Amino acid sequence: WVDGFGNAQLAARPSDVPAAVVGRPLDVVAGSTTHRAARVGSFAELAEGQLGVVEDANGHLALVFNRQAAATVLGVREGDMVTLRPVTGP
């Protein structure tokens, strides 16, 4: 779902992301586009306009941007499929 700030709340939990990729960037696949995201603990760790993956207050992962609506930038709506995968290159 999408919250009032435009963050894309995911059904995934932190335990769904393999421990080997924690602290490494993730590729976020939304529709036909792929975006690079940082796995961070809070919005403050993101540069302005940077995509991040954080754990929300409900224990789920959320896609967030610093000072932008992630759902708008990514073009996702409630119910859309989003895939997180480890970055496998530079």
Side-chain angles (χ1 to χ4, degrees):
W1 59 281
V2 177
D3 71 13
F5 298 102
N7 301 318
Q9 308 295 324
L10 305 178
R13 295 187 177 274
S15 59
D16 295 323
V17 176
V21 302
V22 173
R24 293 181 36 213
L26 296 167
D27 279 337
V28 177
V29 182
S32 62
T33 62
T34 300
H35 303 269
R36 187 69 43 96
R39 177 69 169 94
V40 295
S42 71
F43 293 93
E45 296 175 46
L46 296 170
E48 188 170 340
Q50 182 181 14
L51 176 62
V53 179
V54 298
E55 182 176 351
D56 69 14
N58 297 315
H60 287 89
L61 296 177
L63 301 174
V64 301
F65 268 95
N66 186 348
R67 302 186 185 262
Q68 291 179 288
T72 301
V73 174
L74 298 172
V76 297
R77 298 179 304 195
E78 183 174 337
D80 284 353
M81 174 72 73
V82 174
T83 303
L84 303 178
R85 64 178 180 220
V87 172
T88 57

